[in-house]
């Protein structure tokens, strides 16, 4: 049976190459579409749980209140007894040797669920150097030189309070256009996506490390954004009272409810889906038509040879099975072409949204399954409904 | 021996456009006979041959070829029957294009024989020798004339050394001289003990056979 599949394929190598290219293109489109969807929704992931339930995001700009100061936090909890938890990011502004002032951010595991695009290197928890704090940085130059900070560099710092020498090992550099969580950002009508800043030419130097490492910097303090979660039994009226008191008692310069942020975030997601829906629908239609065309081409073009195989002693079931083996083989070539195309495009641009995760592999398998199934069905139906001789006669005329 | 009893074949069975192609056909062909089945277009002669060759089904009756009862056989047994017991030759040759004569003739051996590749090659060369093409084994079939293509088809039909050879209008696509040569091949095979059944509308071909069976309107006359 494998020989028959081999014979068919190498007899019409160009036709089968075309079919492989078609199936490969389908897989490429599927993987790219899904990766784009994943990429778009990934920035919401770190905030999904944080914004769940009842709560307020408050902006503590001007440091009226600093939650990393334990007495202040205790006082806050005493004044607002319905508060169940407070989440914030530690940040600091320091002068590193050879560099301009930089801002440090200490990301916790939740924030790290979204990993921005790096132009070089790896995320800080994937690379370590003995005695150093691992960090990723935005693109920044060394003062007075043309040299830029790159992955693998070690930057020195001496803590002005403790005098401790801290070495920062740069594991990666954020790429132009990458989004990173900016916990000091204050924006009206905020949603989960607006909590990010884009890396561009004007970006202030940022150094991102883990929330456990940033504690070594004695001036590290809570960011301007704080997520205040309340107990489940808090009423709407109480939440409104809390909001008013935060503002009137100058605890915060702005307050947004979690519910409002969630609603705005969902609106943005719907808007994004709406904007890509026509493209996705056209792509899906193209994929379906291409799958059917490839399957028809694959099954009908060989039907004459199938009739000869049937006459020579093969059963319809075996012919169909050999076709399936061939379809899977062609799809495998198509998959390899997809990977090759992705690798080629990556040499031209490093912003290709093509990642092979579990769902993407499932999508590729679905393309293989649909392609093989349609091929099988056409083949089986034609062979069952027509005699071998009539198939050969029709094919020859 | 080939034994057909009360054979009925319908096209589009149980549909409004149902056609009764073979009506209560009964026929016996002894082993070693060279038989021609003749009749007008649409009389049912090809249908009868296709049923004998196990490539078409029927609704009622019994068909026995040697010790094989076709009406009781499943798809696997029928496939084995087509591969081992009989050889089929068609008017349109039915060759796989784009591959060599050797590959075409070896096809039935590839599908059903456990013998080694060397042995298979030997069998192919023997079959090609019988039809006079042993020096062209590696040639592609697309480079052959009509007569040569039919010889390849005959070689493929006999490569498994079947007892029965069924030919459907084997000279229909050939000129009369080539047709005679092909008919000579069938006669030689018959002399070697094969039972040969040829469907033809060519009286000259039919006249060269030992026995002529006429089919008219789905019945044996």
């Amino acid at each position: 049976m494998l020989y028959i599949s081999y014979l068919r394929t190498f007899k019409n190598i160009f036709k089968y190459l075309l079919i492989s290219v078609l199936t490969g293109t389908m897989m490429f489109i599927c993987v790219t579409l899904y990766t784009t969807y994943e990429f778009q929704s990934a920035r919401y992931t770190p905030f999904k749980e944080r914004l769940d339930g009842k709560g307020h995001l408050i902006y503590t700009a001007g440091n009226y209140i600093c939650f990393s100061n334990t007495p202040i936090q205790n006082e806050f909890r005493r004044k607002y007894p319905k508060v169940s938890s407070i989440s914030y990011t530690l940040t600091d502004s320091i002068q590193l040797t050879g560099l301009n002032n930089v801002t440090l951010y200490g990301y916790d595991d939740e924030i790290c669920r979204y990993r921005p695009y790096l132009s070089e290197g790896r995320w800080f928890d994937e690379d370590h150097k003995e005695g150093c704090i691992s960090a990723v940085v935005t693109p920044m130059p060394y003062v007075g030189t043309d040299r830029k900070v790159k992955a693998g560099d070690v930057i020195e710092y001496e803590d002005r309070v403790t005098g401790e020498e801290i070495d920062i090992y740069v594991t990666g550099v954020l790429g132009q256009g990458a989004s990173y969580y900016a916990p000091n950002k204050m924006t009206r009508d905020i949603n989960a996506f607006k909590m990010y800043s884009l890396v561009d030419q004007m970006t202030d130097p940022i150094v991102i490390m883990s929330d456990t490492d940033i504690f070594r910097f004695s001036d590290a303090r809570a960011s301007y954004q704080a997520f205040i979660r309340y107990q489940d039994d808090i009423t709407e009226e109480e939440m409104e009272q809390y909001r008013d008191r935060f503002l009137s008692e100058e605890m915060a310069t702005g307050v947004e409810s979690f519910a409002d942020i969630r609603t705005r975030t969902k609106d943005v997601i719907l808007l994004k889906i709406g904007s890509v829906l026509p493209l996705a629908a056209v792509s899906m239609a193209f994929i379906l038509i291409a799958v059917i065309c490839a399957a028809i081409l694959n099954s009908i073009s060989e039907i004459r040879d199938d009739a000869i195989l049937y006459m020579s002693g093969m059963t319809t079931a075996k012919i169909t099975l050999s076709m399936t083996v061939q379809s899977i083989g062609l799809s495998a070539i198509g998959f390899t072409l997809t990977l090759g195309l992705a690798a080629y495009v990556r040499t031209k641009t490093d912003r290709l949204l093509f990642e092979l995760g579990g769902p993407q592999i499932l999508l590729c398998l679905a393309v293989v399954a649909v392609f093989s199934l349609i091929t099988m069905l056409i083949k089986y139906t034609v062979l069952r409904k027509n005699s071998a001789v009539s198939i050969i006669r029709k094919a020859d005329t | 021996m080939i034994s057909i009893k009360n054979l009925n074949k319908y096209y589009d069975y149980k549909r409004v456009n149902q056609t009764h192609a073979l009506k209560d056909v009964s026929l016996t062909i002894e082993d070693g006979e060279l038989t021609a089945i003749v009749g007008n277009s649409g009389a049912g002669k090809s249908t009868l041959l296709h049923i004998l060759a196990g490539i078409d089904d029927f609704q009622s009756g019994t068909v026995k070829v040697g010790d094989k009862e076709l009406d009781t056989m499943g798809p696997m047994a029928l496939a084995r029957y087509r591969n081992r017991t009989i050889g089929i030759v068609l008017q349109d040759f039915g060759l796989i294009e784009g591959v060599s004569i050797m590959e075409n003739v070896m096809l039935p051996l590839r599908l059903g024989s456990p013998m080694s590749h060397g042995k298979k090659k030997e069998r192919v060369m023997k079959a090609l020798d019988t039809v006079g093409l042993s020096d062209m084994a590696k040639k592609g079939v697309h480079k052959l004339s009509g007569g040569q293509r039919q010889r390849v088809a005959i070689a493929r039909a006999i490569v498994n050394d079947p007892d029965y050879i069924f030919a459907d209008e084997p000279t229909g696509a050939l000129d009369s001289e080539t047709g005679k040569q092909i008919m000579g091949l069938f006669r030689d095979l018959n002399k070697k003990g094969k039972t040969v059944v040829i469907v033809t509308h060519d009286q000259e071909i039919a006249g060269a056979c030992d026995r002529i069976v006429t089919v008219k309107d789905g019945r044996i006359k």
Side-chain angles (χ1 to χ4, degrees), chain A residues 38-230:
Chain A
E38 248 187 359
F39 176 77
Q40 291 294 345
S41 57
R43 286 182 297 161
Y44 181 44
T45 311
F47 299 101
K48 253 184 184 166
E49 281 175 32
R50 196 167 281 198
L51 293 170
D52 194 26
K54 294 173 179 176
H56 277 128
L57 166 66
I58 66 169
Y59 299 122
T60 63
N63 272 341
Y64 293 112
I65 182 163
C66 181
F67 287 115
S68 51
N69 183 319
T70 310
I72 289 178
Q73 196 176 122
N74 290 341
E75 173 67 8
F76 183 84
R77 283 176 184 276
R78 192 188 57 76
K79 285 174 91 175
Y80 302 98
K82 293 273 180 173
V83 170
S84 67
S85 69
I86 304 164
S87 307
Y88 53 87
T89 297
L90 283 176
T91 177
D92 199 357
S93 183
I94 57 169
Q95 175 87 50
L96 292 172
T97 308
L99 294 166
N100 284 320
N101 251 19
V102 300
T103 303
L104 305 184
Y105 291 146
Y107 282 6
D108 60 19
D109 291 344
E110 221 169 48
I111 297 296
C112 285
R113 282 188 197 169
Y114 171 71
R115 307 207 159 185
Y117 154 68
L118 301 174
S119 61
E120 57 173 297
R122 286 184 282 178
W123 195 242
F124 59 74
D125 59 359
E126 294 169 344
D127 194 3
H128 300 283
K129 191 169 187 155
E130 187 70 33
C132 296
I133 286 175
S134 294
V136 294
V137 301
T138 53
M140 61 177 90
Y142 286 101
V143 175
T145 69
D146 292 337
R147 212 157 59 82
K148 284 191 167 183
V149 176
K150 55 183 194 305
D153 286 0
V154 175
I155 307 165
E156 292 169 1
Y157 172 70
E158 187 180 327
D159 194 287
R160 67 182 177 83
V161 177
T162 61
E164 184 193 359
E165 277 202 10
I166 302 171
D167 290 334
I168 298 174
Y169 172 55
V170 179
T171 61
V173 179
L174 292 173
Q176 284 295 324
S179 304
Y180 63 95
Y181 171 52
N184 283 338
K185 202 174 168 187
M186 291 180 289
T187 314
R188 288 181 67 82
D189 298 331
I190 200 163
N191 59 52
F193 300 103
K194 279 188 178 177
M195 291 183 193
Y196 292 85
S197 287
L198 281 181
V199 174
D200 60 29
Q201 304 293 342
M202 307 299 289
T203 302
D204 291 332
I206 308 284
V207 176
I208 301 169
M209 58 189 66
S210 80
D211 59 343
T212 48
D213 284 338
I214 201 169
F215 274 113
R216 286 181 62 186
F217 297 83
S218 56
D219 279 347
R221 64 190 188 284
S223 60
Y224 295 168
Q225 283 183 5
F227 295 82
I228 312 293
R229 187 190 291 277
Y230 303 121

Side-chain angles (χ1 to χ4, degrees), chain A residues 3 11 304 310 312 314, chain B residues 82-83 95 97 103 110:
Chain A
Y3 169 77
K11 194 162 76 76
R304 183 183 175 279
Y310 180 81
S312 303
M314 232 175 158
Chain B
R82 290 193 298 272
N83 184 257
L95 302 179
E97 302 296 328
E103 283 298 345
R110 290 236 193 238

